[in-house]
Amino acid sequence: MSEPSVGKTTTFEELRRELEEIVGTLERGEVGVDEAIRLWQRGEELHRRCARLLEAAEGRIEELSGGPDDRAAPGL
């Protein structure tokens, strides 16, 4: 399980893939307690980064669609 390089732009998909690997490792119980704690912390960091990226994407979609309250008129 390799961590992305510091300063490297990482995509949502790459972050999610790493998070899934960590979850799988923890679920299988393949590591000792110290490594499990380290992986858990890394997983928390990845989760926060994924959430921020999703929030940003949602904001962009709302912006492009005219905002969260703008709805297309019926029949359009």
Side-chain angles (χ1 to χ4, degrees), residues 36-53:
I37 291 169
R38 187 190 73 73
L39 288 172
W40 183 275
Q41 291 171 328
R42 177 68 179 156
E44 288 287 329
E45 175 189 341
L46 291 168
H47 176 266
R48 285 190 299 274
R49 289 176 65 189
C50 285
R52 281 194 302 268
L53 288 171

Side-chain angles (χ1 to χ4, degrees), residues 51-68:
R52 281 194 302 268
L53 288 171
L54 287 174
E55 288 172 10
E58 183 179 69
R60 289 183 63 204
I61 290 168
E62 288 176 359
E63 184 179 298
L64 292 170
S65 68

Side-chain angles (χ1 to χ4, degrees), residues 4-34:
S5 304
V6 175
K8 176 186 174 232
T9 301
T10 308
T11 66
F12 173 83
E13 290 77 11
E14 290 169 326
L15 295 171
R16 189 191 73 217
R17 195 171 309 118
E18 183 182 352
L19 181 56
E20 288 172 349
E21 289 176 13
I22 288 171
V23 169
T25 299
L26 291 173
E27 286 178 341
R28 290 186 298 276
E30 296 176 342
V31 295
V33 173
D34 291 337

